[in-house]
Amino acid sequence: MKYHGGYFIYTVRKSDIRLWQLLIMASLLLVGVWFRDFSLYPAQIIFTFAAGLITQAIFLRLFKLKQHGFLSAIITCFGLCLLLRSSTLWVHPAVASLVMASKFLIRPQGAHLFNPANLGVVLGLTFFPETWVTSGQWGQDLTTALWLIAAGFFIGRNAKRLDITAYFLVFYASLFLLIRVVWYGYTLPVFFHQFQNGALLLFAFFMISDPMTIPRHHKARILHAAVVAVLAYIWQYQLYWNQGIIWGLFWATFLVPLWNHLFPAPRYQWQALSGEHT
Amino acid sequence: MTTRLIFLLLTLLISQTSQAFCGFYVAKADASLYNQASQVVMTRKDDKTVLSLMNDYQGELKDFALVVPVPQVLTEGQIHIGDAKLFKHIDDFTSPRLVEYHDEDPCSPPVMYEKMMSAPMPTAAMPQKAKSDKSLGVTVEAEYTVGEYDIVILSAKESDGLEKWLQASGYKIPKGASSALKPYIKQNLKFFVAKVNLKEQSKTGSKFLRPLQFAFESPKFMLPIRLGMINAKGPQDLLVYILTEKGRVESSNYQTLKLPSNMDIPVYIKDNFADFYKALFETQVKKQNLRAVFTEYFWNMGWCDPCASEPLSPEELKQLGVFWLEGNSQQGMGMPVQVTRLHVRYTPDSFPEDLSFQETRDTENFQGRYVLRHAWQGKPEQCEAAKTYFEQLAKRHEQEAKTLAELTGWELSDIKKKMNLTDAPDKESTDQWWKKIW
């Protein structure tokens, strides 16, 4: 990012779409902390960013990757702040450091495997004390939902990976409608209640849509979306465990190298004018 | 906006220094405030759940019927009659509380706190009957008489059949129950159905029904609230006390919010704390369009600060289903029992599905606590510090009035009248910086 004075807006529009993503996530965080009662301390936010960005910088130096930047790292830090809750001050920065390191150390087929924010939540829930995820934190506010959709759509369209968001939502909604509404006899308001949840929309538009960690080929992305939806549904509604979507994506990630092998396609490049190429 | 962040930070710092409480507990807002309040105690560890249902049914005993979906056919040993006193105790222990402090004498800084004050709990309306008349099923899997209850465990294949069976068997169930029953039947749940055995009931010598308790295993951590809504007229209140081993419990499918707490409010509230709390809760519920679950209390069961009532004893906890306590040795701060008190006001539209819960790993204490600060009874002329004190006091009173108006939705002018505050007499002039020069 360079300072372009009066041309700032124009430059942003043409530059890396992650900048938009970053602005949206930052505003979600602000809205969440101020109006939605997210139990998040300012110190946790500061430490997350400090640890995440320092780790990123260390690895960039270590691997001498000068052309890489910090945009993705910042987005990951926002993701962790939006999702992870802890009553300690050290879990957020520890998780942020680990997932940044994972991007440089776990690279089958020459690209990082795990969606960093997704891996962060899984690590936090599994290995760290006093750490949890509050899936109900967004409330079922319709306006929040609509706003997330609109914002997510914008990013998705620019990143040309909105397809996986749409596939995932269609698969997941179909499973819910067929099994729970048609077969079990739940009412439609139950469906709307579940699908107006900000956590689900945030996941669909900002997590699963990360172009670097999903299959490269269009067809493989359809398969991937279906696998995530089925795993998430089973986790959430058959086993009655929590955070089905997060765990669904995590387990489905292990199949991504296979999909990329079976359906070869070129790697995604951020359409950046900011000089960053990941 | 910024104050919120600062507030969060402050509470963090305070909790880390584990500052001792030095105010006095004076009143509580307990469950008897709310009409149509159902009270449930849930005790859960791993997949094991003990559910205790407080029975405040007040109608004709012969008309009483209770239907609860349960995950399996319960044996007689899994059903128990509880003690209503335990509900009273856990309600008292977790109630939102009013505490009071007395300002120090600004002219002689060393502090002495005054004696404990106590105010009688304001009398509240008697709770109305809980809606519990429900519908039943087709195969009678088991039949027991436990205490004053005749209990059948049913399974059903079709919801229409279940509804008809129930009506034919003399249970008063509302029309339209079958659509509410369907999802439970499709998921192979059984139905726990209780009515009153009048002969056994007369032997108890009490006209009140005792709480029913049952123990079962299920991966689902939820409370079936939808059945209770079929014939609901207005919004219903539900208080859920959840006893877990490790952390705070929150809803996993509805937003869970902490009620505004730890605020200074005018001292006159001491005499009508119940009205204050009712108005506060009402205001918060409306703000969320009846779509949120509110946390009123979360604390380790071994201690409290300030205590609205003594912590429940290990024996009492055992009776509420805490099966993992070994002996009476595990008491005090490290007790492996946490209590979460959730308060929900819902309508059929605002809560379209049953309440699901998750136990988080959050161990940070929370309580509904409201603070009265009594002014120092001196005169501004006594010393220089006293003058400053009274200036500060005037500002504080203004702030307390504003806080109260925001929390309750009451008129600011009425509050000020009750506080004997004149409308900001020379607020302007005290804020003028040049007053400090000359």
Side-chain angles (χ1 to χ4, degrees):
Chain A
M1 267 183 293
K2 292 180 200 120
Y3 179 65
H4 292 274
Y7 299 104
F8 181 70
I9 299 293
Y10 177 68
T11 314
V12 164
R13 191 174 296 145
K14 279 180 71 184
S15 80
D16 198 316
I17 54 102
R18 282 174 295 174
L19 217 53
W20 286 105
Q21 187 170 4
L22 190 149
L23 287 175
I24 290 163
M25 292 181 99
S27 46
L28 285 177
L29 192 61
L30 288 177
V31 168
V33 170
W34 281 333
F35 301 111
R36 280 285 168 199
D37 196 29
F38 284 10
S39 36
L40 191 66
Y41 303 119
Q44 287 174 323
I45 302 176
I46 295 165
F47 291 167
T48 307
F49 279 88
L53 298 181
I54 289 169
T55 313
Q56 173 89 357
I58 291 171
F59 275 96
L60 287 181
R61 270 190 87 117
L62 219 60
F63 288 79
K64 301 199 170 60
L65 296 166
K66 277 198 187 131
Q67 76 277 31
H68 284 64
F70 288 88
L71 222 44
S72 295
I74 294 174
I75 288 168
T76 300
C77 291
F78 272 120
L80 289 175
C81 292
L82 283 168
L83 290 165
L84 216 53
R85 298 289 163 264
S86 177
S87 37
T88 71
L89 288 181
W90 61 271
V91 168
H92 279 87
V95 168
S97 292
L98 282 175
V99 299
M100 292 307 164
S102 84
K103 289 202 302 178
F104 294 91
L105 300 176
I106 308 173
R107 299 177 70 86
Q109 300 175 335
H112 62 272
L113 176 66
F114 293 105
N115 177 308
N118 181 260
L119 179 67
V121 173
V122 168
L123 289 176
L125 289 176
T126 314
F127 298 110
F128 291 86
E130 296 178 47
T131 304
W132 70 98
V133 170
T134 296
S135 46
Q137 68 182 1
W138 299 94
Q140 266 66 38
D141 208 317
L142 194 62
T143 49
T144 317
L146 287 175
W147 197 64
L148 277 171
I149 290 178
F153 180 80
F154 184 77
I155 285 171
R157 199 186 52 178
N158 276 272
K160 296 198 170 48
R161 286 293 192 272
L162 187 69
D163 58 350
I164 194 154
T165 298
Y167 297 141
F168 168 75
L169 284 176
V170 166
F171 284 130
Y172 198 55
S174 308
L175 281 170
F176 192 96
L177 283 169
L178 285 175
I179 301 174
R180 299 189 81 76
V181 177
V182 176
W183 177 241
Y184 287 171
Y186 280 105
T187 56
L188 271 179
V190 176
F191 168 76
F192 290 120
H193 172 76
Q194 289 280 334
F195 278 74
Q196 277 164 22
N197 187 324
L200 178 67
L201 292 159
L202 188 76
F203 173 83
F205 287 100
F206 293 96
M207 190 180 273
I208 196 176
S209 59
D210 169 21
M212 303 311 290
T213 52
I214 52 179
R216 293 164 196 171
H217 196 280
H218 172 78
K219 281 181 192 158
R221 283 201 295 279
I222 300 180
L223 282 169
H224 184 59
V227 172
V228 174
V230 169
L231 291 177
Y233 184 89
I234 293 173
W235 189 279
Q236 188 78 37
Y237 297 110
Q238 297 300 127
L239 300 171
Y240 307 106
W241 297 339
N242 290 308
Q243 278 72 48
I245 44 180
I246 299 275
W247 285 97
L249 178 62
F250 176 75
W251 295 117
T253 300
F254 293 96
L255 289 174
V256 171
L258 177 70
W259 301 137
N260 282 338
H261 178 73
L262 294 175
F263 301 90
R267 263 189 80 194
Y268 183 78
Q269 294 290 325
W270 288 110
Q271 294 165 338
L273 296 179
S274 56
E276 246 196 312
H277 298 284
T278 45
Chain B
M1 299 302 113
T2 359
T3 48
R4 174 134 194 98
L5 278 172
I6 291 165
F7 174 65
L8 285 171
L9 197 60
L10 275 177
T11 49
L12 169 78
L13 293 174
I14 289 167
S15 67
Q16 282 179 343
T17 52
S18 71
Q19 192 188 53
F21 172 74
C22 47
F24 297 106
Y25 159 74
V26 284
K28 60 181 178 289
D30 65 12
S32 63
L33 288 177
Y34 314 103
N35 289 338
Q36 303 208 325
S38 313
Q39 291 189 75
V40 176
V41 180
M42 278 183 105
T43 304
R44 184 168 165 101
K45 189 190 171 191
D46 303 327
D47 282 353
K48 301 183 182 75
T49 306
V50 177
L51 200 60
S52 309
L53 306 172
M54 178 66 189
N55 213 331
D56 53 0
Y57 178 76
Q58 309 231 315
E60 286 285 315
L61 289 180
K62 64 178 171 49
D63 291 342
F64 172 84
L66 173 74
V67 181
V68 186
V70 286
Q72 61 225 200
V73 175
L74 303 179
T75 64
E76 196 168 350
Q78 285 171 280
I79 305 165
H80 187 252
I81 302 293
D83 187 346
K85 274 188 225 144
L86 295 175
F87 277 84
K88 176 84 176 87
H89 194 176
I90 200 167
D91 175 21
D92 287 348
F93 180 69
T94 55
S95 288
R97 58 215 61 203
L98 188 62
V99 296
E100 60 181 358
Y101 295 84
H102 290 263
D103 284 350
E104 302 158 11
D105 177 351
C107 302
S108 53
V111 205
M112 284 290 286
Y113 284 99
E114 289 184 19
K115 280 199 308 211
M116 175 157 177
M117 303 280 290
S118 70
M121 180 59 201
T123 48
M126 283 297 284
Q128 299 296 300
K129 83 179 183 81
K131 291 275 180 266
S132 42
D133 330 2
K134 290 301 111 47
S135 53
L136 327 194
V138 167
T139 313
V140 179
E141 303 275 357
E143 260 180 292
Y144 316 109
T145 298
V146 181
E148 63 266 44
Y149 298 97
D150 280 335
I151 291 159
V152 285
I153 312 280
L154 301 170
S155 63
K157 289 210 170 68
E158 294 296 334
S159 50
D160 294 350
L162 179 56
E163 186 174 346
K164 279 182 196 141
W165 190 95
L166 288 168
Q167 277 161 350
S169 310
Y171 292 95
K172 294 202 165 179
I173 54 154
K175 275 208 154 91
S178 77
S179 63
L181 292 167
K182 190 181 170 192
Y184 302 114
I185 295 173
K186 289 285 180 188
Q187 290 176 87
N188 284 325
L189 267 77
K190 313 294 172 205
F191 295 90
F192 173 99
V193 185
K195 61 180 178 180
V196 177
N197 182 319
L198 293 171
K199 209 188 266 174
E200 292 295 323
Q201 159 65 17
S202 64
K203 283 187 206 160
T204 65
S206 161
K207 57 186 167 62
F208 297 107
L209 294 170
R210 291 176 292 172
L212 264 171
Q213 296 184 291
F214 33 94
F216 55 89
E217 276 185 48
S218 169
K220 287 192 215 179
F221 188 8
M222 56 84 78
L223 202 57
I225 56 171
R226 289 292 302 177
L227 280 182
M229 295 184 190
I230 297 168
N231 49 1
K233 288 194 183 77
Q236 289 169 288
D237 271 51
L238 169 69
L239 282 167
V240 195
Y241 312 91
I242 308 169
L243 298 165
T244 47
E245 187 186 20
K246 294 199 175 96
R248 183 175 58 81
V249 173
E250 61 183 22
S251 171
S252 57
N253 59 342
Y254 294 94
Q255 191 178 16
T256 309
L257 296 170
K258 289 186 174 118
L259 281 167
S261 178
N262 295 314
M263 283 158 162
D264 288 4
I265 53 173
V267 287
Y268 83 84
I269 291 301
K270 186 168 170 177
D271 297 327
N272 39 19
F273 181 52
D275 291 337
F276 157 76
Y277 191 73
K278 262 162 87 170
L280 177 146
F281 189 73
E282 175 97 35
T283 310
Q284 296 301 318
V285 162
K286 274 198 190 137
K287 219 165 125 186
Q288 303 299 331
N289 297 319
L290 288 92
R291 287 182 188 278
V293 175
F294 292 94
T295 308
E296 287 186 330
Y297 192 80
F298 169 71
W299 214 276
N300 184 285
M301 199 26 123
W303 63 294
C304 38
D305 186 10
C307 294
S309 157
E310 281 303 296
L312 275 70
S313 69
E315 182 49 40
E316 286 176 302
L317 291 173
K318 217 172 110 191
Q319 285 184 43
L320 286 172
V322 179
F323 58 88
W324 60 89
L325 270 186
E326 283 163 22
N328 287 3
S329 57
Q330 293 169 298
Q331 276 178 287
M333 283 186 163
M335 195 179 212
V337 184
Q338 318 285 341
V339 58
T340 307
R341 170 177 166 133
L342 299 175
H343 188 171
V344 198
R345 183 168 296 166
Y346 56 82
T347 63
D349 291 339
S350 68
F351 277 67
E353 61 176 333
D354 287 334
L355 265 176
S356 292
F357 302 107
Q358 66 166 356
E359 181 182 2
T360 69
R361 285 186 276 172
D362 185 10
T363 52
E364 200 169 302
N365 296 328
F366 173 82
Q367 59 183 343
R369 171 175 169 269
Y370 306 93
V371 184
L372 309 180
R373 294 187 190 279
H374 292 275
W376 170 64
Q377 299 296 319
K379 295 218 161 53
E381 305 81 50
Q382 274 177 252
C383 65
E384 194 53 34
K387 219 169 130 191
T388 328
Y389 167 79
F390 279 102
E391 279 170 21
Q392 303 278 348
L393 187 66
K395 278 187 198 158
R396 191 178 85 194
H397 283 156
E398 287 286 327
Q399 188 52 50
E400 286 172 358
K402 271 186 210 155
T403 306
L404 185 61
E406 263 170 44
L407 288 178
T408 57
W410 293 341
E411 283 296 326
L412 187 60
S413 53
D414 293 349
I415 294 170
K416 285 189 172 176
K417 217 178 278 167
K418 284 185 181 155
M419 290 172 77
N420 296 323
L421 286 188
T422 44
D423 250 327
D426 50 358
K427 187 177 172 293
E428 287 294 310
S429 63
T430 52
D431 283 350
Q432 285 161 352
W433 60 271
W434 55 86
K435 294 266 172 183
K436 287 181 188 151
I437 320 175
W438 301 297

